[in-house]
Amino acid sequence: MRWTKQAWSNMFGKYLLITNVLGSGLLMVVGDVVAQEYEFRRGLREQERFDTDRMYRMFVAGALQGPLHHYVYNWMDRVMPARTFKNIVKKILIDQLVMSPACIFIFFYSVCYLERQTLEATNQEFCAKFPYVYLLDWMTWPAAQYVNFRYLDTKYRVTFVNVCTAVYNVLISYMKHDFDLNFDMESTPVGALELASDGKEGA
């Protein structure tokens, strides 16, 4: 029991940055695995049950967002330490107006790069899908971030966002396939970008 307490203390203390980076990547993969299983059961995937290359791309995209979340959340809590309603609203606005677009950008461009897409194809996909992802982001994240900023300590913020992101990825996949959104693109790449997340994508 003592060593578990020590490990927990190190994870969310001395090694918090590493915890946030690895957690961002791993929980992004968790969401993608659930989404792939859903796609397979619904007959939306013609490939094997799980695409490990896609899972790797999702891990990288999530891990790249970890440092951004880590440092920005620490900065916000340092300059706005009081958990007043006004400060919480300010943090949510920073998260939605700055962090969210940044995480969506990191997600698309990192995964497209790993898929060996051209810059032109990446730009086209990003411009076509960004409005839908960002709209859904506004519909889901402000409420989750209110809970995050109101009740959780700084050291748990990124982990909370990562857990929510795992669920968020499944929601994105469901919306993408069941509601049959028609993106204005000449061609839609197959793979991890069937899912679009900000990650917090961005978080």
Side-chain angles (χ1 to χ4, degrees):
M1 179 64 72
R2 184 176 180 181
W3 71 268
T4 57
K5 290 183 178 180
Q6 184 63 39
W8 183 271
S9 177
N10 288 334
M11 284 175 56
F12 291 97
K14 183 178 180 180
Y15 302 112
L16 181 60
L17 176 59
I18 296 174
T19 298
N20 288 339
V21 171
L22 293 179
S24 295
L26 291 173
L27 285 169
M28 183 75 79
V29 172
V30 170
D32 186 55
V33 167
V34 175
Q36 289 194 44
E37 176 67 17
Y38 169 81
E39 294 165 13
F40 181 81
R41 289 176 179 271
R42 293 296 302 272
L44 300 173
R45 290 173 51 81
E46 297 180 358
Q47 302 93 341
E48 64 273 12
R49 191 170 199 142
F50 295 110
D51 183 345
T52 55
D53 289 337
R54 170 173 149 175
M55 291 162 60
Y56 166 74
R57 293 191 291 268
M58 295 295 282
F59 174 83
V60 172
L64 288 175
Q65 297 172 48
L68 180 64
H69 286 133
H70 175 87
Y71 288 111
V72 172
Y73 289 150
N74 275 278
W75 169 77
M76 285 196 290
D77 284 345
R78 189 167 60 251
V79 299
M80 293 179 283
R83 299 188 185 188
T84 63
F85 181 76
K86 182 179 180 180
N87 281 349
I88 292 172
V89 170
K90 287 180 179 178
K91 290 178 181 180
I92 291 174
L93 288 176
I94 292 173
D95 190 68
Q96 289 300 121
L97 298 176
V98 180
M99 292 286 287
S100 177
C103 288
I104 296 172
F105 179 89
I106 291 171
F107 176 84
F108 274 103
Y109 280 84
S110 61
V111 176
C112 283
Y113 175 80
L114 293 173
E115 287 184 331
R116 301 181 185 275
Q117 291 193 50
T118 65
L119 181 59
E120 181 181 359
T122 302
N123 291 337
Q124 184 183 37
E125 179 165 4
F126 178 77
C127 291
K129 293 184 177 180
F130 178 83
Y132 297 95
V133 179
Y134 194 44
L135 176 61
L136 185 62
D137 199 274
W138 272 97
M139 294 170 61
T140 55
W141 281 104
Q145 291 292 44
Y146 179 85
V147 174
N148 192 5
F149 295 133
R150 177 66 178 85
Y151 298 107
L152 300 182
D153 291 335
T154 303
K155 60 186 176 182
Y156 299 126
R157 296 212 192 286
V158 178
T159 298
F160 176 82
V161 168
N162 292 336
V163 171
C164 292
T165 298
V167 178
Y168 180 76
N169 286 340
V170 181
L171 179 62
I172 289 290
S173 181
Y174 180 86
M175 185 186 75
K176 171 66 173 65
H177 293 106
D178 275 14
F179 289 88
D180 195 24
L181 292 177
N182 293 315
F183 298 104
D184 185 17
M185 300 172 60
E186 293 180 1
S187 61
T188 301
V190 177
L193 292 182
E194 291 292 325
L195 302 174
S197 167
D198 71 60
K200 308 295 180 210
E201 261 91 69

Coordinates of all heavy atoms in Angstrom, one line a residue, residues 51-133:
D51 N -7.0 -1.5 -36.2 CA -5.9 -1.0 -37.0 C -4.9 -0.4 -36.1 O -5.0 0.6 -35.5 CB -6.5 0.1 -37.9 CG -5.5 0.7 -38.9 OD1 -4.3 0.5 -38.6 OD2 -5.8 1.4 -39.8
T52 N -3.8 -1.2 -35.9 CA -2.7 -0.8 -35.0 C -2.0 0.4 -35.4 O -1.5 1.2 -34.6 CB -1.8 -2.0 -34.7 OG1 -1.2 -2.4 -36.0 CG2 -2.5 -3.1 -34.0
D53 N -1.8 0.6 -36.7 CA -1.2 1.8 -37.3 C -2.0 3.0 -36.9 O -1.4 4.1 -36.5 CB -1.0 1.7 -38.8 CG 0.0 0.7 -39.2 OD1 0.9 0.4 -38.4 OD2 -0.1 0.2 -40.3
R54 N -3.3 2.9 -37.0 CA -4.2 4.1 -36.6 C -4.0 4.3 -35.2 O -4.0 5.5 -34.7 CB -5.6 3.7 -37.0 CG -6.6 4.7 -36.5 CD -8.0 4.4 -37.1 NE -9.1 4.7 -36.2 CZ -10.4 4.6 -36.4 NH1 -10.7 4.2 -37.6 NH2 -11.3 4.9 -35.5
M55 N -4.0 3.3 -34.3 CA -3.8 3.5 -32.9 C -2.5 4.2 -32.6 O -2.5 5.0 -31.7 CB -3.9 2.1 -32.2 CG -5.3 1.5 -32.3 SD -5.3 -0.3 -31.9 CE -4.6 -0.3 -30.3
Y56 N -1.5 3.8 -33.3 CA -0.2 4.5 -33.1 C -0.3 6.0 -33.4 O 0.2 6.8 -32.7 CB 0.9 3.8 -33.9 CG 2.2 4.6 -34.1 CD1 3.1 4.7 -33.0 CD2 2.5 5.3 -35.2 CE1 4.2 5.4 -33.1 CE2 3.6 6.1 -35.3 CZ 4.5 6.1 -34.3 OH 5.7 6.9 -34.4
R57 N -0.9 6.3 -34.5 CA -1.1 7.7 -34.9 C -1.9 8.5 -33.9 O -1.5 9.6 -33.6 CB -1.7 7.8 -36.3 CG -0.9 7.2 -37.4 CD -1.5 7.6 -38.8 NE -2.7 6.9 -39.1 CZ -2.8 5.8 -39.7 NH1 -1.7 5.1 -40.1 NH2 -4.0 5.2 -40.0
M58 N -2.9 7.8 -33.3 CA -3.7 8.5 -32.3 C -2.9 8.7 -31.0 O -3.0 9.8 -30.4 CB -4.9 7.7 -32.0 CG -5.9 7.5 -33.2 SD -6.6 9.1 -33.7 CE -7.9 9.3 -32.4
F59 N -2.0 7.8 -30.7 CA -1.2 7.9 -29.5 C -0.2 9.1 -29.7 O -0.1 10.0 -28.8 CB -0.3 6.7 -29.3 CG 0.7 6.8 -28.2 CD1 0.3 6.7 -26.8 CD2 2.0 7.2 -28.4 CE1 1.2 6.9 -25.8 CE2 2.9 7.3 -27.4 CZ 2.5 7.2 -26.1
V60 N 0.4 9.2 -30.9 CA 1.3 10.3 -31.1 C 0.6 11.7 -31.1 O 1.0 12.6 -30.4 CB 2.0 10.2 -32.5 CG1 2.8 11.4 -32.8 CG2 2.9 8.9 -32.4
A61 N -0.6 11.7 -31.7 CA -1.4 13.0 -31.7 C -1.8 13.4 -30.3 O -1.8 14.6 -30.0 CB -2.6 12.8 -32.6
G62 N -2.2 12.4 -29.5 CA -2.6 12.7 -28.1 C -1.4 13.1 -27.3 O -1.4 14.1 -26.5
A63 N -0.2 12.4 -27.4 CA 1.0 12.7 -26.6 C 1.5 14.1 -27.0 O 2.0 14.8 -26.1 CB 2.0 11.7 -26.9
L64 N 1.4 14.5 -28.2 CA 1.8 15.9 -28.6 C 1.0 17.0 -28.0 O 1.5 18.1 -27.8 CB 1.8 16.0 -30.1 CG 2.8 15.2 -30.9 CD1 2.6 15.4 -32.4 CD2 4.2 15.7 -30.6
Q65 N -0.2 16.7 -27.6 CA -1.0 17.7 -27.0 C -0.8 17.8 -25.5 O -1.2 18.7 -24.8 CB -2.5 17.4 -27.2 CG -2.9 17.5 -28.7 CD -4.3 17.0 -29.0 OE1 -5.2 17.4 -28.3 NE2 -4.5 16.1 -30.0
G66 N -0.2 16.7 -24.9 CA 0.1 16.7 -23.5 C 0.8 17.8 -22.9 O 0.4 18.5 -21.9
P67 N 2.0 18.2 -23.5 CA 2.7 19.4 -22.9 C 1.9 20.7 -23.0 O 2.0 21.5 -22.1 CB 4.0 19.4 -23.8 CG 4.1 18.0 -24.3 CD 2.7 17.5 -24.5
L68 N 1.2 20.9 -24.1 CA 0.4 22.1 -24.2 C -0.6 22.2 -23.0 O -0.8 23.2 -22.4 CB -0.3 22.1 -25.5 CG -1.2 23.3 -25.8 CD1 -0.4 24.6 -25.8 CD2 -2.0 23.1 -27.1
H69 N -1.4 21.1 -22.8 CA -2.3 21.1 -21.7 C -1.6 21.3 -20.4 O -2.1 22.1 -19.5 CB -3.1 19.7 -21.7 CG -4.1 19.5 -22.8 ND1 -4.1 18.4 -23.5 CD2 -5.0 20.4 -23.2 CE1 -5.1 18.5 -24.4 NE2 -5.7 19.7 -24.2
H70 N -0.5 20.6 -20.2 CA 0.2 20.7 -18.9 C 0.6 22.1 -18.6 O 0.3 22.6 -17.5 CB 1.5 19.8 -19.0 CG 2.4 19.9 -17.8 ND1 2.2 19.1 -16.7 CD2 3.4 20.7 -17.5 CE1 3.1 19.3 -15.8 NE2 3.9 20.3 -16.3
Y71 N 1.2 22.8 -19.5 CA 1.8 24.1 -19.2 C 0.7 25.2 -19.2 O 0.7 26.1 -18.4 CB 2.9 24.5 -20.2 CG 4.1 23.7 -20.0 CD1 4.6 22.7 -20.9 CD2 4.9 23.9 -18.8 CE1 5.7 22.0 -20.7 CE2 6.1 23.2 -18.6 CZ 6.5 22.2 -19.5 OH 7.6 21.5 -19.3
V72 N -0.3 25.1 -20.1 CA -1.3 26.1 -20.1 C -2.2 26.0 -18.9 O -2.6 27.0 -18.3 CB -2.2 26.0 -21.4 CG1 -3.4 26.9 -21.3 CG2 -1.3 26.3 -22.6
Y73 N -2.6 24.8 -18.4 CA -3.4 24.7 -17.2 C -2.7 25.1 -16.0 O -3.3 25.8 -15.1 CB -3.9 23.2 -17.1 CG -4.9 22.8 -18.1 CD1 -5.1 21.5 -18.5 CD2 -5.8 23.8 -18.7 CE1 -6.0 21.1 -19.5 CE2 -6.7 23.4 -19.6 CZ -6.8 22.1 -20.0 OH -7.8 21.7 -20.9
N74 N -1.4 24.8 -15.9 CA -0.6 25.3 -14.8 C -0.5 26.8 -14.8 O -0.6 27.5 -13.7 CB 0.8 24.7 -14.8 CG 0.9 23.3 -14.2 OD1 1.0 23.2 -13.0 ND2 0.8 22.3 -15.0
W75 N -0.3 27.4 -16.0 CA -0.3 28.9 -16.1 C -1.6 29.5 -15.7 O -1.6 30.5 -14.9 CB 0.1 29.3 -17.5 CG -0.1 30.7 -17.8 CD1 0.7 31.7 -17.4 CD2 -1.2 31.3 -18.5 NE1 0.2 33.0 -17.8 CE2 -1.0 32.7 -18.4 CE3 -2.4 30.9 -19.1 CZ2 -1.9 33.7 -19.0 CZ3 -3.3 31.8 -19.6 CH2 -3.0 33.1 -19.6
M76 N -2.7 29.0 -16.2 CA -4.0 29.5 -15.8 C -4.3 29.5 -14.3 O -4.8 30.5 -13.7 CB -5.2 28.8 -16.6 CG -5.2 29.2 -18.1 SD -6.8 28.7 -18.8 CE -6.7 26.9 -18.9
D77 N -3.9 28.4 -13.7 CA -4.2 28.3 -12.2 C -3.2 29.2 -11.5 O -3.5 29.6 -10.3 CB -4.0 26.8 -11.8 CG -5.2 26.0 -12.1 OD1 -6.3 26.6 -12.5 OD2 -5.1 24.8 -12.1
R78 N -2.1 29.5 -12.1 CA -1.1 30.4 -11.4 C -1.6 31.8 -11.4 O -1.4 32.6 -10.5 CB 0.3 30.2 -12.0 CG 1.4 30.9 -11.2 CD 2.8 30.5 -11.7 NE 3.0 30.8 -13.1 CZ 3.1 29.9 -14.1 NH1 2.9 28.6 -13.8 NH2 3.3 30.3 -15.3
V79 N -2.1 32.3 -12.6 CA -2.5 33.7 -12.7 C -3.9 33.9 -12.3 O -4.3 35.0 -12.0 CB -2.3 34.2 -14.2 CG1 -0.9 34.1 -14.6 CG2 -3.2 33.4 -15.1
M80 N -4.7 32.8 -12.2 CA -6.1 32.9 -11.7 C -6.4 31.8 -10.7 O -7.1 30.9 -11.0 CB -7.1 32.8 -12.9 CG -7.0 34.0 -13.9 SD -8.2 33.8 -15.3 CE -7.3 32.6 -16.3
P81 N -5.8 31.9 -9.5 CA -5.8 30.8 -8.5 C -7.2 30.7 -7.9 O -7.6 29.6 -7.5 CB -4.8 31.2 -7.5 CG -4.7 32.7 -7.6 CD -4.9 33.0 -9.1
A82 N -7.9 31.8 -7.7 CA -9.2 31.7 -7.1 C -10.3 31.0 -7.9 O -10.4 31.3 -9.1 CB -9.7 33.1 -6.7
R83 N -11.1 30.2 -7.3 CA -12.1 29.4 -8.1 C -13.4 30.2 -8.1 O -14.5 29.6 -7.8 CB -12.2 28.0 -7.5 CG -11.0 27.2 -7.5 CD -11.2 25.8 -7.1 NE -10.0 25.0 -7.1 CZ -9.9 23.7 -6.9 NH1 -11.0 23.0 -6.7 NH2 -8.7 23.1 -6.8
T84 N -13.3 31.4 -8.5 CA -14.5 32.2 -8.6 C -15.2 31.9 -10.0 O -14.6 31.5 -10.9 CB -14.2 33.7 -8.5 OG1 -13.4 34.1 -9.6 CG2 -13.5 34.0 -7.2
F85 N -16.5 32.3 -10.1 CA -17.2 32.0 -11.3 C -16.6 32.8 -12.4 O -16.5 32.3 -13.6 CB -18.7 32.4 -11.1 CG -19.5 32.2 -12.4 CD1 -19.9 30.9 -12.7 CD2 -19.9 33.3 -13.2 CE1 -20.7 30.7 -13.9 CE2 -20.6 33.1 -14.3 CZ -21.0 31.8 -14.7
K86 N -16.1 34.0 -12.1 CA -15.5 34.9 -13.2 C -14.2 34.2 -13.7 O -14.0 34.2 -14.9 CB -15.2 36.3 -12.6 CG -14.6 37.2 -13.6 CD -14.3 38.6 -12.9 CE -13.7 39.6 -13.9 NZ -13.5 40.9 -13.3
N87 N -13.4 33.7 -12.8 CA -12.2 33.1 -13.3 C -12.4 31.8 -14.0 O -11.7 31.5 -15.0 CB -11.3 32.8 -12.0 CG -10.5 34.0 -11.6 OD1 -10.5 35.0 -12.2 ND2 -9.9 33.9 -10.4
I88 N -13.4 31.1 -13.6 CA -13.8 29.8 -14.3 C -14.2 30.1 -15.7 O -13.8 29.4 -16.7 CB -14.8 29.0 -13.5 CG1 -14.3 28.5 -12.2 CG2 -15.4 27.9 -14.4 CD1 -15.3 27.9 -11.3
V89 N -15.1 31.1 -15.9 CA -15.5 31.5 -17.2 C -14.3 32.0 -18.1 O -14.2 31.6 -19.3 CB -16.5 32.7 -17.1 CG1 -16.8 33.2 -18.5 CG2 -17.8 32.1 -16.5
K90 N -13.4 32.7 -17.5 CA -12.2 33.2 -18.2 C -11.4 31.9 -18.7 O -10.9 31.9 -19.8 CB -11.3 34.1 -17.4 CG -11.9 35.4 -17.1 CD -10.9 36.3 -16.3 CE -11.4 37.7 -16.0 NZ -10.5 38.4 -15.2
K91 N -11.2 31.0 -17.8 CA -10.5 29.8 -18.2 C -11.1 29.0 -19.3 O -10.5 28.5 -20.2 CB -10.3 28.9 -16.9 CG -9.3 29.5 -15.9 CD -9.2 28.6 -14.7 CE -8.3 29.2 -13.6 NZ -8.2 28.3 -12.4
I92 N -12.5 28.9 -19.2 CA -13.2 28.2 -20.2 C -13.1 28.9 -21.6 O -12.9 28.2 -22.6 CB -14.7 28.0 -19.8 CG1 -14.8 27.1 -18.6 CG2 -15.5 27.5 -21.0 CD1 -16.3 27.0 -18.1
L93 N -13.1 30.2 -21.6 CA -13.0 30.9 -22.8 C -11.6 30.8 -23.4 O -11.4 30.6 -24.6 CB -13.3 32.4 -22.6 CG -14.7 32.8 -22.3 CD1 -14.9 34.2 -22.0 CD2 -15.6 32.4 -23.5
I94 N -10.5 30.8 -22.5 CA -9.2 30.5 -23.0 C -9.1 29.1 -23.6 O -8.5 28.9 -24.7 CB -8.2 30.7 -21.9 CG1 -8.1 32.2 -21.4 CG2 -6.8 30.2 -22.3 CD1 -7.2 32.4 -20.2
D95 N -9.7 28.2 -22.9 CA -9.7 26.8 -23.4 C -10.4 26.7 -24.8 O -9.9 26.0 -25.7 CB -10.4 25.9 -22.4 CG -10.2 24.4 -22.7 OD1 -9.0 24.0 -22.6 OD2 -11.1 23.8 -23.0
Q96 N -11.5 27.3 -24.9 CA -12.3 27.2 -26.2 C -11.7 28.0 -27.3 O -11.8 27.6 -28.5 CB -13.7 27.6 -25.9 CG -14.5 26.6 -25.0 CD -14.5 25.2 -25.7 OE1 -14.1 24.2 -25.1 NE2 -15.1 25.1 -26.9
L97 N -11.2 29.2 -27.0 CA -10.8 30.1 -28.1 C -9.3 29.9 -28.5 O -8.9 30.3 -29.6 CB -11.0 31.6 -27.6 CG -12.5 32.0 -27.4 CD1 -12.6 33.4 -26.9 CD2 -13.3 31.8 -28.6
V98 N -8.5 29.4 -27.6 CA -7.1 29.2 -27.8 C -6.7 27.7 -27.9 O -6.2 27.2 -28.9 CB -6.2 29.9 -26.8 CG1 -4.7 29.7 -27.1 CG2 -6.6 31.4 -26.8
M99 N -7.0 27.0 -26.8 CA -6.6 25.6 -26.6 C -7.2 24.7 -27.6 O -6.6 23.8 -28.3 CB -6.8 25.1 -25.2 CG -5.9 25.8 -24.2 SD -4.3 25.1 -24.3 CE -4.5 23.5 -23.5
S100 N -8.5 24.8 -27.8 CA -9.3 24.0 -28.7 C -8.8 24.0 -30.1 O -8.5 23.0 -30.7 CB -10.8 24.2 -28.6 OG -11.5 23.4 -29.5
P101 N -8.8 25.2 -30.7 CA -8.2 25.3 -32.1 C -6.8 24.8 -32.2 O -6.5 24.1 -33.2 CB -8.3 26.8 -32.4 CG -9.4 27.3 -31.5 CD -9.2 26.5 -30.3
A102 N -6.0 25.0 -31.2 CA -4.6 24.6 -31.2 C -4.5 23.0 -31.2 O -3.8 22.4 -32.0 CB -3.8 25.1 -30.1
C103 N -5.4 22.4 -30.4 CA -5.3 21.0 -30.3 C -5.9 20.3 -31.5 O -5.4 19.3 -32.0 CB -6.1 20.5 -29.0 SG -5.3 20.9 -27.5
I104 N -6.9 20.9 -32.1 CA -7.5 20.4 -33.3 C -6.4 20.4 -34.4 O -6.3 19.5 -35.2 CB -8.8 21.1 -33.7 CG1 -9.9 20.9 -32.7 CG2 -9.3 20.7 -35.1 CD1 -11.1 21.8 -32.9
F105 N -5.7 21.6 -34.5 CA -4.7 21.8 -35.5 C -3.6 20.7 -35.3 O -3.1 20.0 -36.2 CB -4.1 23.2 -35.3 CG -2.9 23.4 -36.3 CD1 -3.2 24.0 -37.5 CD2 -1.6 23.2 -35.9 CE1 -2.1 24.2 -38.4 CE2 -0.5 23.4 -36.7 CZ -0.8 24.0 -38.0
I106 N -3.1 20.5 -34.0 CA -2.1 19.5 -33.8 C -2.6 18.1 -34.2 O -1.8 17.3 -34.8 CB -1.7 19.5 -32.3 CG1 -1.0 20.8 -31.9 CG2 -0.8 18.3 -31.9 CD1 -0.8 21.0 -30.4
F107 N -3.8 17.8 -33.8 CA -4.4 16.5 -34.2 C -4.3 16.2 -35.7 O -3.8 15.2 -36.1 CB -5.8 16.4 -33.6 CG -6.5 15.1 -34.0 CD1 -6.3 14.0 -33.2 CD2 -7.3 15.0 -35.1 CE1 -6.9 12.8 -33.6 CE2 -7.9 13.8 -35.5 CZ -7.7 12.7 -34.7
F108 N -4.9 17.1 -36.4 CA -5.0 16.9 -37.9 C -3.6 16.8 -38.5 O -3.3 15.9 -39.3 CB -5.9 17.9 -38.5 CG -7.3 17.6 -38.5 CD1 -8.2 18.2 -37.6 CD2 -7.9 16.7 -39.4 CE1 -9.5 18.0 -37.6 CE2 -9.2 16.4 -39.3 CZ -10.0 17.0 -38.4
Y109 N -2.8 17.8 -38.2 CA -1.5 17.9 -38.9 C -0.5 16.8 -38.5 O 0.3 16.3 -39.3 CB -0.9 19.3 -38.8 CG -1.6 20.2 -39.7 CD1 -2.8 20.9 -39.4 CD2 -1.0 20.5 -41.0 CE1 -3.4 21.7 -40.3 CE2 -1.6 21.4 -41.9 CZ -2.8 22.0 -41.5 OH -3.5 22.8 -42.4
S110 N -0.6 16.3 -37.3 CA 0.3 15.2 -36.8 C -0.1 13.9 -37.4 O 0.7 13.2 -38.0 CB 0.3 15.2 -35.3 OG -0.9 14.9 -34.8
V111 N -1.4 13.6 -37.4 CA -1.9 12.4 -38.0 C -1.8 12.4 -39.5 O -1.4 11.3 -40.1 CB -3.4 12.1 -37.5 CG1 -3.9 10.8 -38.2 CG2 -3.5 12.0 -36.0
C112 N -2.1 13.5 -40.1 CA -1.9 13.5 -41.6 C -0.5 13.3 -42.0 O -0.1 12.6 -43.0 CB -2.4 14.8 -42.1 SG -4.2 14.9 -42.2
Y113 N 0.4 13.9 -41.2 CA 1.9 13.7 -41.5 C 2.3 12.2 -41.3 O 3.0 11.7 -42.2 CB 2.7 14.5 -40.5 CG 4.2 14.3 -40.6 CD1 4.9 14.9 -41.6 CD2 4.8 13.5 -39.7 CE1 6.3 14.7 -41.7 CE2 6.2 13.2 -39.8 CZ 6.9 13.9 -40.8 OH 8.3 13.6 -40.9
L114 N 1.8 11.6 -40.3 CA 2.1 10.1 -40.1 C 1.4 9.3 -41.2 O 1.9 8.2 -41.4 CB 1.6 9.7 -38.7 CG 2.4 10.3 -37.5 CD1 1.8 10.0 -36.2 CD2 3.9 9.9 -37.6
E115 N 0.3 9.8 -41.7 CA -0.3 9.0 -42.8 C 0.3 9.3 -44.2 O -0.1 8.8 -45.2 CB -1.8 9.4 -42.9 CG -2.7 8.9 -41.8 CD -4.1 9.2 -42.0 OE1 -4.5 10.3 -42.6 OE2 -5.0 8.4 -41.6
R116 N 1.4 10.2 -44.2 CA 2.1 10.5 -45.3 C 1.3 11.3 -46.4 O 1.5 11.2 -47.6 CB 2.8 9.3 -46.0 CG 3.7 8.6 -45.1 CD 4.4 7.4 -45.8 NE 5.2 6.6 -44.8 CZ 6.5 6.9 -44.5 NH1 7.0 8.0 -45.1 NH2 7.1 6.2 -43.7
Q117 N 0.3 12.1 -45.9 CA -0.5 12.9 -46.7 C 0.3 14.1 -47.2 O 1.2 14.6 -46.4 CB -1.7 13.4 -46.1 CG -2.7 12.3 -45.8 CD -4.1 12.8 -45.4 OE1 -4.6 13.7 -46.1 NE2 -4.7 12.3 -44.4
T118 N 0.0 14.7 -48.3 CA 0.7 15.9 -48.7 C 0.1 17.1 -47.9 O -0.9 17.0 -47.3 CB 0.4 16.2 -50.2 OG1 -1.0 16.4 -50.4 CG2 0.9 15.0 -51.1
L119 N 0.9 18.2 -47.9 CA 0.4 19.4 -47.2 C -0.9 19.9 -47.7 O -1.8 20.3 -47.0 CB 1.5 20.5 -47.2 CG 1.2 21.8 -46.5 CD1 0.9 21.5 -45.0 CD2 2.3 22.8 -46.7
E120 N -1.0 19.8 -49.0 CA -2.3 20.3 -49.7 C -3.4 19.5 -49.3 O -4.5 20.0 -48.9 CB -2.1 20.2 -51.2 CG -3.3 20.7 -52.0 CD -3.2 20.6 -53.5 OE1 -2.1 20.2 -53.9 OE2 -4.1 21.0 -54.2
A121 N -3.3 18.1 -49.2 CA -4.4 17.3 -48.8 C -4.7 17.5 -47.3 O -5.9 17.5 -46.9 CB -4.0 15.8 -49.0
T122 N -3.7 17.7 -46.5 CA -3.9 18.0 -45.1 C -4.7 19.3 -44.9 O -5.6 19.4 -44.1 CB -2.5 18.1 -44.4 OG1 -1.8 16.9 -44.5 CG2 -2.8 18.3 -42.9
N123 N -4.3 20.3 -45.6 CA -5.0 21.6 -45.5 C -6.4 21.5 -45.9 O -7.3 22.1 -45.3 CB -4.3 22.7 -46.4 CG -2.9 23.1 -45.9 OD1 -2.6 22.9 -44.7 ND2 -2.1 23.6 -46.8
Q124 N -6.7 20.7 -47.0 CA -8.0 20.5 -47.5 C -8.9 19.8 -46.4 O -10.0 20.2 -46.1 CB -8.0 19.7 -48.8 CG -9.4 19.5 -49.4 CD -9.3 18.7 -50.7 OE1 -8.5 17.7 -50.7 NE2 -10.1 19.0 -51.7
E125 N -8.3 18.7 -45.8 CA -9.1 18.0 -44.8 C -9.4 18.8 -43.6 O -10.5 18.8 -43.0 CB -8.4 16.7 -44.5 CG -9.2 15.9 -43.4 CD -8.7 14.5 -43.3 OE1 -7.7 14.1 -44.0 OE2 -9.3 13.7 -42.5
F126 N -8.3 19.6 -43.2 CA -8.5 20.4 -42.0 C -9.5 21.5 -42.2 O -10.4 21.6 -41.3 CB -7.1 21.1 -41.7 CG -7.2 22.0 -40.5 CD1 -7.2 21.5 -39.2 CD2 -7.2 23.4 -40.6 CE1 -7.2 22.3 -38.1 CE2 -7.2 24.2 -39.6 CZ -7.3 23.7 -38.3
C127 N -9.5 22.1 -43.3 CA -10.5 23.2 -43.5 C -11.9 22.6 -43.7 O -12.9 23.3 -43.3 CB -10.1 24.0 -44.8 SG -8.6 24.9 -44.7
A128 N -12.0 21.4 -44.2 CA -13.4 20.9 -44.4 C -14.0 20.4 -43.1 O -15.2 20.5 -42.8 CB -13.3 19.7 -45.4
K129 N -13.1 19.8 -42.2 CA -13.6 19.2 -41.0 C -13.6 20.0 -39.8 O -14.3 19.8 -38.8 CB -12.9 17.9 -40.7 CG -13.1 16.8 -41.8 CD -12.4 15.5 -41.4 CE -12.7 14.4 -42.4 NZ -12.0 13.1 -42.1
F130 N -12.8 21.1 -39.8 CA -12.6 21.9 -38.6 C -13.9 22.5 -38.1 O -14.2 22.4 -36.9 CB -11.6 23.0 -38.9 CG -11.4 24.0 -37.7 CD1 -10.6 23.6 -36.6 CD2 -12.2 25.1 -37.6 CE1 -10.5 24.5 -35.6 CE2 -12.0 26.0 -36.6 CZ -11.2 25.7 -35.5
P131 N -14.8 23.1 -39.0 CA -16.0 23.7 -38.4 C -16.9 22.7 -37.7 O -17.5 23.0 -36.7 CB -16.7 24.2 -39.7 CG -15.6 24.4 -40.7 CD -14.7 23.3 -40.4
Y132 N -17.0 21.4 -38.2 CA -17.8 20.4 -37.5 C -17.3 20.0 -36.2 O -18.0 19.9 -35.2 CB -18.0 19.2 -38.4 CG -18.7 19.5 -39.7 CD1 -17.9 19.7 -40.9 CD2 -20.1 19.4 -39.8 CE1 -18.5 20.0 -42.1 CE2 -20.7 19.7 -41.0 CZ -19.9 20.0 -42.2 OH -20.6 20.2 -43.4
V133 N -15.9 19.8 -36.1 CA -15.3 19.4 -34.9 C -15.4 20.6 -33.9 O -15.7 20.3 -32.7 CB -13.8 19.1 -35.2 CG1 -13.1 18.7 -33.9 CG2 -13.7 17.9 -36.2

